[in-house]
């Protein structure tokens, strides 16, 4: 079979989040987070893992301090009061190593014709050498593609932990909002000058890949 694909893992972003279903082969980004850039960048979605909420309530662990920590950090791995068996189940994309992300993608790639849509999450402390090793491992494991992302490497990040809200002042938030509104009215790409196109609720450039929601 050439130039064709029989099997595929279709990626979904905002749609899966709105209906609270899996977005593909990704682990949960965080147990609590918010997503920016919805509907031309005008809205955001708030999320708290409903299964975790039920689990904590059944075990008598759904306490204000615990919930506040999860909402702020997005993880429960550093909470001493959480049992080990719960921690083993509720693991997020930032709790596992980039190598584990790549091996997860490679496992699905063995049985899928198309390349796998998945993000290899690196922590903010990752170096260029870490990225290089990630790409090489993906190639060695026969992945057909590899998308890496270092946390907070962009000023405007689609998925965010709630702690970022505390680090951003109201004035900064208004400035970003005003800048997004201005860019949404633009017709030409500021990076290469080509015509912008509206795609998946956000203006982007088909020539260079620049997008309003990612700028």
């Amino acid at each position: 079979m050439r130039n064709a694909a029989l099997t595929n893992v279709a990626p979904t972003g905002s749609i899966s989040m709105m209906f609270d279903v899996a977005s593909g082969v990704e682990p949960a980004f965080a147990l609590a987070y918010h997503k920016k850039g919805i509907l031309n960048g005008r809205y955001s979605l708030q999320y708290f893992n409903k299964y975790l909420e039920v689990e904590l309530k059944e075990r008598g662990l759904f306490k204000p301090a615990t919930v506040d920590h999860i909402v702020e950090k997005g993880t429960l791995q550093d909470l001493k009061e959480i049992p080990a068996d719960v921690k083993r189940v509720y693991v997020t994309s930032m709790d596992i190593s980039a190598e584990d992300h790549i091996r997860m993608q490679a496992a699905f790639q063995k049985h899928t014709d198309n390349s796998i849509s998945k993000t290899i999450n690196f922590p903010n402390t990752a170096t260029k050498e870490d990225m290089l090793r990630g790409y090489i491992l993906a190639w060695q494991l026969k992945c057909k593609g590899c998308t890496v992302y270092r946390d907070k490497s962009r000023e405007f990040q689609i998925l965010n932990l709630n702690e970022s809200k505390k680090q951003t002042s109201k004035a900064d938030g208004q400035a970003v909002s005003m800048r997004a509104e201005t860019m949404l009215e633009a017709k030409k790409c500021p990076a290469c000058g080509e015509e912008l196109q509206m795609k998946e609720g956000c203006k982007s450039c088909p020539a260079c890949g620049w997008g309003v929601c990612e700028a």
Side-chain angles (χ1 to χ4, degrees):
M1 184 170 57
R2 294 174 60 85
N3 303 320
L6 185 62
T7 53
N8 178 45
V9 179
T12 60
S14 303
I15 295 176
S16 64
M17 188 176 178
M18 285 188 287
F19 289 97
D20 200 10
V21 296
S23 61
V25 300
E26 298 279 8
F29 171 73
L31 299 175
Y33 59 91
H34 62 282
K35 184 174 184 178
K36 298 179 180 179
I38 308 298
L39 297 177
N40 293 346
R42 300 173 188 270
Y43 301 96
S44 64
L45 291 174
Q46 306 295 325
Y47 176 84
F48 189 94
N49 191 294
K50 64 181 181 182
Y51 302 103
L52 175 62
E53 180 178 350
V54 172
E55 182 85 26
L56 294 179
K57 287 181 177 179
E58 289 180 349
R59 296 179 180 235
L61 297 171
F62 197 73
K63 301 176 181 178
T66 301
V67 173
D68 288 346
H69 179 92
I70 295 172
V71 168
E72 180 180 350
K73 301 297 183 181
T75 181
L76 47 66
Q77 298 301 316
D78 53 349
L79 287 173
K80 296 181 179 179
E81 63 269 27
I82 302 298
D85 62 318
V86 175
K87 290 182 178 180
R88 282 196 299 270
V89 172
Y90 294 96
V91 178
T92 71
S93 61
M94 298 304 291
D95 291 331
I96 64 177
S97 67
E99 178 180 343
D100 287 338
H101 276 283
I102 295 170
R103 293 187 180 279
M104 182 189 303
Q105 176 176 329
F108 281 89
Q109 187 69 81
K110 291 179 181 179
H111 310 285
T112 307
D113 298 328
N114 267 350
S115 59
I116 302 295
S117 177
K118 189 189 180 322
T119 302
I120 310 303
N121 293 96
F122 282 83
N124 183 252
T125 55
T127 64
K128 292 181 179 179
E129 290 72 23
D130 293 331
M131 298 289 188
L132 176 60
R133 285 192 291 270
Y135 278 122
I136 292 176
L137 178 61
W139 170 72
Q140 290 174 333
L141 296 177
K142 302 186 184 304
C143 290
K144 293 185 177 181
C146 183
T147 301
V148 302
Y149 183 73
R150 181 174 62 83
D151 190 39
K152 298 181 178 64
S153 60
R154 287 186 173 184
E155 181 180 351
F156 187 93
Q157 185 165 294
I158 299 298
L159 293 179
N160 299 270
L161 296 179
N162 292 307
E163 63 180 355
S164 63
K165 291 184 177 180
K166 296 184 177 181
Q167 298 167 356
T168 304
S169 67
K170 182 177 181 181
D172 290 339
Q174 291 174 340
V176 171
S177 177
M178 290 175 63
R179 186 183 66 177
E181 291 287 340
T182 302
M183 289 192 294
L184 282 168
E185 297 174 357
K187 296 182 178 179
K188 297 286 187 178
C189 174
C192 69
E194 292 294 320
E195 290 284 340
L196 293 175
Q197 296 181 2
M198 184 63 73
K199 185 179 180 182
E200 296 181 356
C202 190
K203 277 188 176 180
S204 61
C205 177
C208 70
W210 182 91
V212 171
C213 296
E214 299 180 353

